[in-house]
């Protein structure tokens, strides 16, 4: 089978390409380098020993996308990562998010339909659950989104569901919890542009000296140590889940044309636990201060992943320790490369 990966030079897309090739799939990929660099392709070539089939295509450009599909033959399924993902930016620039995340997905669906491609795996997010009682399963009610970014994920899921009713398309929507970590080679990982919003890149950048200290956003939450709880999933485990999702579509094991799966570990860890784990596995002492709560943070969320285990035959294998170890190795690699 040949899989088109949109957003393939991004954080999760690049790790997924590695796992798809490892599993024996053919892969082609597109990106517009809005949040990634061409150097990722060289590193993917090094890791996989394969010349990655890449074209620079912007999914907002419907004509270019259709032309791309006309020029490629044999694509069996699409894994759709390409989107903007910064929650805060989406509040300031909602139209950018609706145009790219929603408009881009519509363009992709139209181009797929024209090309007769009927399988898609979509990148969704646990943000669709908002503040819910964990562990959260797939039947948990979807709450009104708290940001335009979160809303784009909800809208896209609805569009995809509608499209399954109107065509032969089969959809797997994967709701990621908190992806962290990097490939063991340290050749690919997350490349936050500017000051990171997310916890783990902020931790590693602080430990390496790029940031003075980490602010823990609130220690007065109703949790055992007062800090927020999340389900941190290693990006390689997450990437492997996409291979399982493609197999699920290919083997026609699905019961519904639109299926949704939570992808997490099933464990919740607090911010302080993450810091302590980082310190324990790296031997680094992290400079941090307790600050006020960050607007919009949910107190605690972690997944129930029973459905993914039962239907995809997938579960995570990498620990929080491994997440911290690989994130640190990646940060050190970035520094050795002059952060390029
Ligand atoms: P990323 O920014 O690292 O990767 C996305 C890639 O898509 C980038 O390489 C970017 O250049 C590309 N892209 C963006 N707009 C494009 C366009 N118009 N045309 C072509 N390429 C375009 O992000 P990621 O962390 O790898 O996230 C991948 C997907 O997973 C996104 O849809 C994101 O919303 C979703 N997701 C991410 C997280 C997370 O915490 N990382 C959590 C839940 C869901
Ligand atoms: N945190 C800090 N200090 C920091 C950064 C984060 O204490 O400098 C805390 C946050 O308050 C939160 C936890 O660390 O309690 C995790 O925060 P992240 O920003 O790493 O992750 P979020 O759970 O807030 O959000 C992530 C993605 C979103 C996505 C959401 C749900 O960044 O894009 O998961 O999928 F919408």
């Amino acid at each position: 089978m040949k899989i088109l990966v949109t957003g393939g030079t991004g954080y999760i897309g690049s790790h997924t390409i590695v796992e798809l090739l490892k599993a024996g799939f053919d892969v082609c990929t597109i990106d517009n380098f809005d949040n990634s660099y061409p150097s990722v392709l060289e590193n993917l070539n090094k890791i996989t020993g394969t010349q990655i089939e890449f074209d620079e295509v912007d999914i907002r450009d419907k004509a270019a996308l259709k032309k791309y599909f006309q020029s490629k033959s044999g694509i069996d399924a699409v894994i759709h990562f390409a989107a903007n993902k910064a929650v805060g930016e989406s509040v300031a620039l909602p139209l950018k998010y609706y145009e790219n995340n929603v408009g881009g997905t519509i363009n992709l669906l139209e181009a797929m339909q024209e090309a007769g491609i009927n399988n898609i795996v979509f990148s969704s997010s646990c943000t669709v659950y908002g503040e819910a009682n964990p562990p959260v399963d797939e039947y948990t009610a979807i709450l009104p989104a708290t940001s335009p970014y979160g809303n784009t994920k909800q809208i896209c899921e609805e569009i995809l569901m509608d499209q399954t009713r109107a065509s032969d398309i089969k959809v797997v929507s994967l709701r990621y919890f908190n992806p962290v970590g990097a490939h063991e080679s340290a050749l690919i990982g997350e490349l936050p542009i500017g000051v990171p919003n997310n916890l783990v890149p902020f931790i590693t950048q602080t430990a390496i000296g790029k940031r003075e200290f980490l602010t823990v956003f609130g220690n007065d939450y109703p949790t055992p140590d007062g800090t927020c709880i999340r389900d941190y999933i290693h990006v390689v485990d997450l990437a492997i889940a996409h291979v399982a999702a493609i197999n699920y579509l290919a083997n026609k094991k699905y019961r519904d044309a639109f299926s949704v799966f939570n992808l997490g570990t099933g464990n919740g860890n607090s911010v302080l636990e993450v810091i302590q784990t980082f310190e324990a596995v790296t031997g680094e002492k992290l400079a941090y201060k307790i600050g006020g709560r960050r607007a919009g943070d949910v107190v605690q969320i972690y997944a129930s992943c029973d459905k993914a285990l039962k239907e995809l035959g997938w579960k995570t294998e990498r620990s929080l320790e491994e997440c911290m170890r690989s994130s640190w190795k990646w940060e050190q690699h970035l520094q050795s490369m002059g952060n390029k």
Side-chain angles (χ1 to χ4, degrees):
M1 279 181 81
K2 184 165 185 168
I3 316 298
L4 166 63
V5 176
T6 75
T9 47
Y11 175 43
I12 308 170
S14 57
H15 289 81
T16 301
I17 288 175
V18 173
E19 297 307 320
L20 285 167
L21 289 169
K22 221 193 223 179
F25 290 98
D26 284 339
V27 173
C28 54
T29 187
I30 56 173
D31 205 297
N32 69 347
F33 301 122
D34 179 68
N35 196 34
S36 56
Y37 298 96
S39 58
V40 173
L41 292 166
E42 289 157 36
N43 290 333
L44 280 174
N45 293 344
K46 275 189 210 156
I47 294 170
T48 63
T50 311
Q51 191 72 26
I52 305 295
E53 194 179 323
F54 174 81
D55 287 87
E56 190 168 340
V57 179
D58 189 321
I59 62 164
R60 290 170 300 185
D61 184 343
K62 193 187 286 189
L65 202 49
K66 288 192 173 180
K67 206 164 144 209
Y68 175 80
F69 277 99
Q70 281 158 12
S71 73
K72 294 273 159 192
S73 59
I75 296 173
D76 299 289
V78 177
I79 307 182
H80 180 33
F81 293 105
N84 296 120
K85 63 167 180 177
V87 176
E89 187 190 53
S90 80
V91 176
L93 301 172
L95 299 183
K96 172 178 173 179
Y97 278 69
Y98 289 113
E99 184 192 17
N100 200 25
N101 297 11
V102 179
T105 300
I106 293 172
N107 289 345
L108 180 66
L109 289 171
E110 276 188 27
M112 284 174 65
Q113 192 164 29
E114 206 172 277
I117 300 163
N118 283 325
N119 296 304
I120 183 167
V121 177
F122 176 69
S123 295
S124 188
S125 167
C126 72
T127 194
V128 300
Y129 298 119
E131 185 90 64
N133 256 350
V136 172
D137 68 21
E138 292 80 354
Y139 306 100
T140 304
I142 302 285
L143 294 177
T146 53
S147 71
Y149 167 74
N151 206 21
T152 67
K153 293 297 172 190
Q154 295 189 1
I155 292 170
C156 283
E157 284 200 358
E158 285 172 7
I159 291 171
L160 287 160
M161 205 184 298
D162 287 342
Q163 186 66 356
T164 61
R165 296 185 186 117
S167 71
D168 292 329
I169 200 166
K170 303 286 177 284
V171 178
V172 171
S173 183
L174 300 176
R175 293 178 182 159
Y176 312 154
F177 281 63
N178 286 55
V180 293
H183 191 258
E184 59 181 3
S185 64
L187 287 170
I188 52 171
E190 190 170 11
L191 274 172
I193 292 171
V195 181
N197 292 307
N198 297 118
L199 178 63
V200 175
F202 211 106
I203 288 177
T204 56
Q205 289 197 5
T206 304
I208 211 136
K210 273 193 225 167
R211 314 271 156 219
E212 204 184 332
F213 60 86
L214 168 83
T215 302
V216 174
F217 295 139
N219 69 346
D220 57 351
Y221 284 100
T223 60
D225 66 22
T227 64
C228 291
I229 290 175
R230 297 286 183 276
D231 186 337
Y232 296 94
I233 173 172
H234 196 295
V235 67
V236 173
D237 280 329
L238 189 61
I240 292 168
H242 292 75
V243 178
I246 289 290
N247 283 328
Y248 177 83
L249 287 171
N251 296 336
K252 302 204 167 14
K253 284 194 295 184
Y254 48 82
R255 286 174 311 179
D256 306 309
F258 180 87
S259 310
V260 51
F261 295 98
N262 284 344
L263 298 181
T265 65
N267 300 316
N269 286 104
S270 72
V271 177
L272 290 180
E273 281 172 343
V274 174
I275 294 172
Q276 282 151 12
T277 307
F278 176 81
E279 291 184 331
V281 300
T282 63
E284 298 289 323
K285 187 92 196 87
L286 193 77
Y288 71 89
K289 291 182 184 170
I290 305 295
R293 292 182 176 194
R294 180 172 70 175
D297 271 342
V298 298
V299 179
Q300 57 170 337
I301 188 156
Y302 51 92
S304 157
C305 304
D306 296 352
K307 189 169 181 245
L309 179 60
K310 203 166 140 208
E311 294 185 35
L312 298 180
W314 170 92
K315 66 178 171 59
T316 57
E317 289 179 351
R318 290 158 184 80
S319 62
L320 185 62
E321 282 77 9
E322 183 46 36
C323 291
M324 293 302 119
R325 203 175 289 121
S326 58
S327 298
W328 183 229
K329 199 171 157 193
W330 167 241
E331 188 68 62
Q332 290 173 309
H333 170 80
L334 282 177
Q335 192 185 45
S336 72
M337 300 293 290
N339 293 305
K340 277 183 219 133

